[in-house]
Every structure is written in C-alpha cells, then in structure tokens.
Amino acid sequence: MDLECECSSDRKYHPTILFNILSGMDVGGTTGIGQDDLLGYGAAAAAAPRRCSCEEQRRTVCLQDPSEICRDATAILVKTVRFMKNLPAFNQMPRADQFSLLRSCWAPLFILGLAQERLDFQVTDTPTDSMLKKILLNRQNGPGQQGEQPTMAGVSKLKSCLRKFWSLDLSPKEFAYLKGTAIFNPDVPDLKATLFVESLQQEAQHALNEVVQILHPGHQERFARILLAASLLQSITPSLVCELFFRPVIGQADLMELLVDMLFFR
C-alpha cells in the first residue's frame, strides 16, 4: 500500500515570526533592511521548494549484490516449496486447495526462510533506463506484465519484519510450527476443505505454544510476540518479494508457474 505523503496537502508558506517583525518595521530602521529587500526575501522564500519528507521512501531500489543474494534467495525458495511438499496433511487436500494455499503463503513462508537463514541484504537506487529501452521493454512485455517496483518504503518494511524475528531468535521447531500456521490459512478464498485447513492451523498454533513453553519457561509473553511478528508478514506484498529477489533471475517468466511446477511436477 502506498504511503500517503504528508507533504501533499496544499499548505502555503508561512513566514517566520522574525520575518513578520522585520516586515513591520520602518524602512531604513536599525535593521538596515529595506522594504524592497524584505519583499524580495518573502517572494524568494515562498517560491523555494519544500523538500518532501516522503521522497526517500518512494524512490525505487534494487539489490546491491544481486548475483549472491538472488542465489541464496533461490535456495531458500526451493527449501520453502520442499517444506510444503513434504507435509502429509498438505498432500491430502484437493489439488485446487493446494494451489490456493501456495499462492497465498509462498511469500510469507519465503520471508520466514529469510529470517531463519538470517539472510541480510543491501539495496541501491534503481538505474534509470533510457526512454528507448522503456519503449522496447513495454512492447516486448505487453500490458499488465509490469510488476511492483521495489521502493525504499517496502524494503524498510521487509527489513523491519526480519529484525523482529531475529530479535526473537526462534528455534528450528518454532520456525517449523510457525510456517505451519502460515500455510494452513482458512481465510484463503475458495477453499473446499476450509474446516480441515482451520483445524490444521489450530494444531500448528497449539504445537507452537507448547514448544515455546518448553524452550522458554516463564516467558508467557513470547507466544504472543511471535504471533505479533507473524502478523507483519501479510503487510509485505508478494510482488515486492518477487521483483526484488527473483526478477533478476527469472526475467519475464511467471514466478507462480515456476512454483507450481516445483510443487506438483518435480
């Protein structure tokens, strides 16, 4: 979701208190500033552009070291799909439900994989393409194929989510059961086995709570903190994840088609 720019309102320039005082003084007073100087100062100040505080967050970015990070990200994505594929309960569901859950949860699962592998990354400004290159790419890609360009705001949100999980220092079992709660989401539309998916999510949450109590006795708030951190996963769009980590590798291919192939045919 785009951030609303707090500088977008039509707020006019308001002269400072000092300027108001000086502008009310007689010309040639002790200040040594003439009325024409004051008028000129006011006009210049009013015309001076105000720097938007959201500009930094809106700029588009890309990976600073795509060759290494994309390789590691691809390995994490393969582990993510393999995790889903090896779940007996997932394989018992109708194929349509499996596809719906895959579409819904691949990005949150991948982000959990980033957190578990502690994969950190840096970004830099996106190079500006020439007008000719943009025209040629638009003709080649066709309408509707342009993904969400990663912005500093989106990357900052992703990094904040990762830092939350890193601060929790989850164990492998905690990660496994948390991934289960992310996969079996009964709120996904058009599920045929909704009650079955809901029961699986409840089982995963119950198992996660038990593991937390065993590994961290006396930390009653930890389970709630984990679920709170997990709620941030839905605020990060799959399109941003795809464009940032996988577009440099797959080009114009459809990532969902690749995921389906990995899950069902390999």
Side-chain angles (χ1 to χ4, degrees), residues 13-37:
Y13 170 79
H14 296 288
T16 63
I17 296 177
L18 176 61
F19 175 72
N20 287 331
I21 295 175
L22 293 177
S23 62
M25 298 178 63
D26 293 335
V27 177
T30 57
T31 62
I33 303 177
Q35 186 67 27
D36 292 340
D37 295 328

Tab-separated table of all heavy atoms in Angstrom, residues 13-37:
chain	number	residue	atom	x	y	z
A	13	TYR	N	3.207	28.620	2.260
A	13	TYR	CA	4.360	29.016	3.047
A	13	TYR	C	3.957	30.065	4.067
A	13	TYR	O	3.288	31.047	3.752
A	13	TYR	CB	5.453	29.584	2.115
A	13	TYR	CG	6.588	30.238	2.872
A	13	TYR	CD1	7.581	29.460	3.452
A	13	TYR	CD2	6.633	31.613	3.007
A	13	TYR	CE1	8.607	30.046	4.144
A	13	TYR	CE2	7.667	32.200	3.708
A	13	TYR	CZ	8.659	31.431	4.269
A	13	TYR	OH	9.681	32.013	4.954
A	14	HIS	N	4.314	29.883	5.326
A	14	HIS	CA	4.030	30.835	6.390
A	14	HIS	C	5.330	31.489	6.807
A	14	HIS	O	6.268	30.802	7.239
A	14	HIS	CB	3.398	30.127	7.593
A	14	HIS	CG	2.056	29.535	7.273
A	14	HIS	ND1	0.933	30.293	7.084
A	14	HIS	CD2	1.686	28.239	7.062
A	14	HIS	CE1	-0.090	29.504	6.808
A	14	HIS	NE2	0.350	28.251	6.774
A	15	PRO	N	5.439	32.824	6.682
A	15	PRO	CA	6.683	33.495	7.060
A	15	PRO	C	6.998	33.258	8.524
A	15	PRO	O	6.115	33.051	9.347
A	15	PRO	CB	6.385	34.975	6.770
A	15	PRO	CG	5.214	34.973	5.820
A	15	PRO	CD	4.429	33.752	6.172
A	16	THR	N	8.273	33.284	8.858
A	16	THR	CA	8.687	33.101	10.234
A	16	THR	C	8.295	34.294	11.080
A	16	THR	O	7.989	35.383	10.559
A	16	THR	CB	10.201	32.918	10.310
A	16	THR	OG1	10.832	34.117	9.839
A	16	THR	CG2	10.656	31.753	9.451
A	17	ILE	N	8.297	34.119	12.396
A	17	ILE	CA	7.961	35.211	13.310
A	17	ILE	C	8.932	36.375	13.134
A	17	ILE	O	8.538	37.555	13.124
A	17	ILE	CB	7.979	34.711	14.766
A	17	ILE	CG1	6.887	33.648	14.952
A	17	ILE	CG2	7.790	35.850	15.744
A	17	ILE	CD1	6.876	33.034	16.333
A	18	LEU	N	10.230	36.047	12.965
A	18	LEU	CA	11.227	37.093	12.802
A	18	LEU	C	10.945	37.910	11.553
A	18	LEU	O	11.045	39.148	11.564
A	18	LEU	CB	12.617	36.473	12.720
A	18	LEU	CG	13.776	37.447	12.462
A	18	LEU	CD1	13.860	38.466	13.603
A	18	LEU	CD2	15.088	36.698	12.331
A	19	PHE	N	10.564	37.261	10.474
A	19	PHE	CA	10.253	37.985	9.249
A	19	PHE	C	9.054	38.896	9.436
A	19	PHE	O	9.021	40.023	8.938
A	19	PHE	CB	10.005	36.988	8.115
A	19	PHE	CG	9.567	37.641	6.825
A	19	PHE	CD1	10.469	38.370	6.062
A	19	PHE	CD2	8.258	37.543	6.399
A	19	PHE	CE1	10.067	38.974	4.882
A	19	PHE	CE2	7.856	38.154	5.227
A	19	PHE	CZ	8.759	38.870	4.466
A	20	ASN	N	8.044	38.423	10.160
A	20	ASN	CA	6.868	39.263	10.407
A	20	ASN	C	7.238	40.511	11.186
A	20	ASN	O	6.721	41.609	10.928
A	20	ASN	CB	5.814	38.470	11.181
A	20	ASN	CG	5.130	37.433	10.292
A	20	ASN	OD1	5.013	37.631	9.086
A	20	ASN	ND2	4.690	36.335	10.892
A	21	ILE	N	8.133	40.360	12.158
A	21	ILE	CA	8.556	41.521	12.954
A	21	ILE	C	9.315	42.510	12.090
A	21	ILE	O	9.070	43.723	12.108
A	21	ILE	CB	9.427	41.065	14.141
A	21	ILE	CG1	8.584	40.212	15.102
A	21	ILE	CG2	10.026	42.264	14.867
A	21	ILE	CD1	9.386	39.622	16.232
A	22	LEU	N	10.257	41.977	11.303
A	22	LEU	CA	11.083	42.850	10.479
A	22	LEU	C	10.261	43.551	9.410
A	22	LEU	O	10.497	44.721	9.095
A	22	LEU	CB	12.201	42.042	9.823
A	22	LEU	CG	13.261	41.476	10.762
A	22	LEU	CD1	14.261	40.635	9.979
A	22	LEU	CD2	13.980	42.592	11.518
A	23	SER	N	9.286	42.832	8.847
A	23	SER	CA	8.496	43.434	7.782
A	23	SER	C	7.617	44.555	8.300
A	23	SER	O	7.170	45.403	7.535
A	23	SER	CB	7.636	42.371	7.105
A	23	SER	OG	6.722	41.819	8.036
A	24	GLY	N	7.368	44.602	9.592
A	24	GLY	CA	6.552	45.667	10.161
A	24	GLY	C	7.353	46.876	10.583
A	24	GLY	O	6.785	47.887	11.013
A	25	MET	N	8.656	46.854	10.481
A	25	MET	CA	9.496	47.964	10.880
A	25	MET	C	9.614	48.974	9.758
A	25	MET	O	9.387	48.686	8.583
A	25	MET	CB	10.893	47.458	11.274
A	25	MET	CG	10.871	46.509	12.453
A	25	MET	SD	12.504	45.893	12.865
A	25	MET	CE	13.309	47.424	13.330
A	26	ASP	N	9.988	50.204	10.120
A	26	ASP	CA	10.165	51.255	9.129
A	26	ASP	C	11.349	50.944	8.241
A	26	ASP	O	12.349	50.367	8.676
A	26	ASP	CB	10.401	52.605	9.815
A	26	ASP	CG	9.149	53.047	10.564
A	26	ASP	OD1	8.052	52.586	10.164
A	26	ASP	OD2	9.288	53.814	11.528
A	27	VAL	N	11.239	51.379	6.993
A	27	VAL	CA	12.337	51.196	6.064
A	27	VAL	C	13.521	52.027	6.532
A	27	VAL	O	13.382	53.175	6.935
A	27	VAL	CB	11.914	51.633	4.646
A	27	VAL	CG1	13.090	51.518	3.685
A	27	VAL	CG2	10.744	50.808	4.175
A	28	GLY	N	14.690	51.459	6.475
A	28	GLY	CA	15.877	52.175	6.893
A	28	GLY	C	16.064	52.202	8.380
A	28	GLY	O	16.822	53.018	8.906
A	29	GLY	N	15.350	51.326	9.128
A	29	GLY	CA	15.483	51.244	10.578
A	29	GLY	C	16.810	50.634	10.961
A	29	GLY	O	17.733	50.506	10.164
A	30	THR	N	16.872	50.225	12.197
A	30	THR	CA	18.125	49.711	12.739
A	30	THR	C	18.547	48.424	12.077
A	30	THR	O	19.689	48.021	12.187
A	30	THR	CB	17.991	49.470	14.250
A	30	THR	OG1	16.904	48.569	14.463
A	30	THR	CG2	17.727	50.775	14.975
A	31	THR	N	17.629	47.788	11.419
A	31	THR	CA	17.997	46.526	10.786
A	31	THR	C	18.855	46.723	9.561
A	31	THR	O	19.594	45.838	9.166
A	31	THR	CB	16.733	45.743	10.375
A	31	THR	OG1	16.010	46.505	9.415
A	31	THR	CG2	15.870	45.475	11.592
A	32	GLY	N	18.689	47.871	8.901
A	32	GLY	CA	19.431	48.105	7.675
A	32	GLY	C	18.854	47.341	6.494
A	32	GLY	O	19.488	47.218	5.453
A	33	ILE	N	17.636	46.857	6.633
A	33	ILE	CA	16.990	46.112	5.566
A	33	ILE	C	15.870	46.955	4.987
A	33	ILE	O	14.997	47.417	5.724
A	33	ILE	CB	16.418	44.784	6.080
A	33	ILE	CG1	17.523	43.957	6.716
A	33	ILE	CG2	15.732	44.019	4.967
A	33	ILE	CD1	17.041	42.672	7.323
A	34	GLY	N	15.902	47.157	3.696
A	34	GLY	CA	14.880	47.950	3.057
A	34	GLY	C	13.630	47.151	2.801
A	34	GLY	O	13.641	45.920	2.820
A	35	GLN	N	12.525	47.893	2.517
A	35	GLN	CA	11.260	47.214	2.265
A	35	GLN	C	11.348	46.342	1.025
A	35	GLN	O	10.788	45.250	0.974
A	35	GLN	CB	10.143	48.252	2.091
A	35	GLN	CG	8.741	47.667	1.972
A	35	GLN	CD	8.305	47.019	3.275
A	35	GLN	OE1	8.768	47.398	4.341
A	35	GLN	NE2	7.441	46.024	3.164
A	36	ASP	N	12.073	46.820	0.000
A	36	ASP	CA	12.209	46.007	-1.210
A	36	ASP	C	12.944	44.708	-0.919
A	36	ASP	O	12.631	43.658	-1.484
A	36	ASP	CB	12.962	46.797	-2.290
A	36	ASP	CG	12.142	47.967	-2.810
A	36	ASP	OD1	10.914	47.933	-2.631
A	36	ASP	OD2	12.738	48.902	-3.383
A	37	ASP	N	13.960	44.784	0.008
A	37	ASP	CA	14.692	43.580	0.366
A	37	ASP	C	13.776	42.577	1.052
A	37	ASP	O	13.849	41.370	0.815
A	37	ASP	CB	15.869	43.917	1.288
A	37	ASP	CG	16.906	44.770	0.566
A	37	ASP	OD1	17.045	44.594	-0.654
A	37	ASP	OD2	17.554	45.594	1.241
